[in-house]
Amino acid sequence: MRAAWLLAVALCAGCSFSRVRTNPEVAELETGWIVPGQTTFREVAERLGMPPPVGRADDAPAYVSAEALHWLSTDTKTFELKVGYIVSPIFRWSRTVAADDVLIRFDEAGRVRQVSRTRRRGGAVEVLDFRGEGA
């Protein structure tokens, strides 16, 4: 019994859980003022600012293009089990999900074509805003 207790304490002592949230300010962006077909790329960029980095595509930032602006907040949870200094980590599990996502697409004239905004909490995805030109 004592050996099992000592083993459990030793294993738990090497456990860690971490959570990292990137770009949490995306949750506070206000998109209700955007009117598809009328609001321009420049107006969106001036009012909301440029999106924070979310990655790269073909060696260019993947969060901004002539066709879209993309704000993304991610939530990463990591569990790690370490035993000693020689074998570390012995087990690691990590999961990253899009916590808040705002995507604004533009037409050839630089006017908003579509606004999409989602939020993920737990396992559920909630559509907060989805509007398009002519809809």
Side-chain angles (χ1 to χ4, degrees):
M1 175 74 170
R2 186 173 202 157
W5 184 80
L6 287 173
L7 179 63
V9 168
L11 289 176
C12 290
C15 293
S16 67
F17 177 79
S18 64
R19 185 174 187 180
V20 177
R21 182 87 184 265
T22 62
N23 308 321
E25 66 279 1
V26 172
E28 305 302 320
L29 290 178
E30 176 56 50
T31 57
W33 59 273
I34 298 172
V35 179
Q38 293 179 14
T39 307
T40 65
F41 184 100
R42 183 180 194 148
E43 292 170 326
V44 171
E46 286 176 353
R47 189 147 172 193
L48 299 181
M50 294 308 284
V54 294
R56 301 183 77 74
D58 296 330
D59 206 30
Y63 57 95
V64 60
S65 70
E67 294 85 28
L69 292 175
H70 188 198
W71 290 262
L72 182 66
S73 171
T74 61
D75 192 9
T76 302
K77 298 174 186 174
T78 303
F79 172 78
E80 201 168 67
L81 173 63
K82 296 181 182 181
V83 181
Y85 295 100
I86 298 170
V87 183
S88 182
I90 194 168
F91 172 78
R92 183 179 202 176
W93 175 83
S94 185
R95 182 172 186 223
T96 301
V97 296
D100 292 282
D101 191 320
V102 176
L103 177 63
I104 302 174
R105 296 183 186 271
F106 300 90
D107 62 16
E108 300 80 26
R111 299 205 179 275
V112 173
R113 180 170 52 93
Q114 181 183 57
V115 178
S116 170
R117 182 182 186 128
T118 61
R119 172 180 294 147
R120 173 183 231 134
R121 298 294 184 263
V125 176
E126 179 183 3
V127 177
L128 302 175
D129 191 3
F130 189 81
R131 294 175 283 135
E133 190 175 9

